[in-house]
Amino acid sequence: AFADCGKPVWLSLTLEDAEPVAGQPMLRSGESLVDLLSSLTDNMPAALLFNCSQPEVMDDAVRKVVMHIADHANPPQIGVLANAFPLMKKDYKGANESLHDLRGDITPEAYANFAQKWAASGAGMIGGCCGISPEHLKLIKARLSDSDSVTWGQHGTHMGPARALPERQSPAWAPLDLSLIHISEPTR
């Protein structure tokens, strides 16, 4: 639907994290990630992001995307923005219904460990969603800055191994003329 809009399209997806199956990432809405990737083959977005899901499920998704786009002429950037919330129950009413506790085990150190794994698997953009603090992001930058294969955008955003998008495609600094379209799957 957006293939001919003339702007880079960034697609954000949430992953099933309550009952994941190792090696078979699913979208929170129930579809297989592989099925979605197959449907996008001719209209691959400029970026494919996984957000607002538990850090433990992100690496399988990154690996699936990397395998799927290996021969793609213009592969998308892959991004991860995990959260630090505990799993939500199936009867969860929504993000603005109440305050949420944060997982005590998702410390800056633990999150940076996840980030290193995601980067090694092929994620070119790494940040944080709910509950991920500036301290988490500072440690990620410090850890990943040690790599010569990593490039950095403004504000310390990890832009990945030698596949950084041209400045005109970077969403973190999109001008008010909406130079990209970011589509995000609704969460629970």
Side-chain angles (χ1 to χ4, degrees):
F2 294 98
D4 61 353
C5 69
K7 298 182 184 299
V9 174
W10 289 38
L11 179 62
S12 290
L13 304 165
T14 56
L15 298 170
E16 170 55 46
D17 51 7
E19 298 175 10
V21 176
Q24 299 176 19
M26 303 288 288
L27 304 183
R28 193 171 286 157
S29 54
E31 296 85 7
S32 158
L33 176 60
V34 171
D35 289 347
L36 172 73
L37 293 171
S38 295
S39 74
L40 294 174
T41 300
D42 294 330
N43 294 307
M44 196 60 70
L48 190 56
L49 310 169
F50 299 103
N51 68 289
C52 204
S53 303
Q54 301 287 303
E56 292 86 353
V57 300
M58 300 299 199
D59 196 57
D60 272 349
V62 170
R63 289 175 182 272
K64 282 290 182 198
V65 173
V66 168
M67 287 187 327
H68 187 83
I69 65 170
D71 296 325
H72 200 275
N74 191 19
Q77 281 277 13
I78 302 169
V80 175
L81 301 105
N83 69 32
F85 284 158
L87 287 172
M88 300 299 158
K89 296 178 183 172
K90 291 292 181 185
D91 62 351
Y92 176 62
K93 302 262 191 266
N96 296 321
E97 295 295 317
S98 64
L99 294 176
H100 301 287
D101 292 327
L102 297 177
R103 289 175 53 182
D105 62 325
I106 305 297
T107 62
E109 181 78 21
Y111 197 75
N113 291 340
F114 281 116
Q116 285 180 290
K117 188 174 184 179
W118 303 328
S121 293
M125 294 180 282
I126 295 175
C129 198
C130 302
I132 302 303
S133 72
E135 288 74 28
H136 289 83
L137 300 177
K138 286 177 190 172
L139 187 54
I140 291 169
K141 183 175 181 183
R143 290 262 194 96
L144 295 179
S145 290
D146 292 338
S147 171
D148 290 335
S149 65
V150 173
T151 57
W152 293 89
Q154 297 173 12
H155 308 295
T157 304
H158 174 241
M159 292 298 288
R163 284 188 14 218
L165 292 173
E167 191 65 29
R168 64 179 171 73
Q169 292 183 352
S170 177
W173 316 281
L176 293 177
D177 70 354
L178 300 176
S179 64
L180 66 97
I181 295 175
H182 181 190
I183 304 164
S184 185
E185 175 190 34
T187 59
R188 281 180 230 167

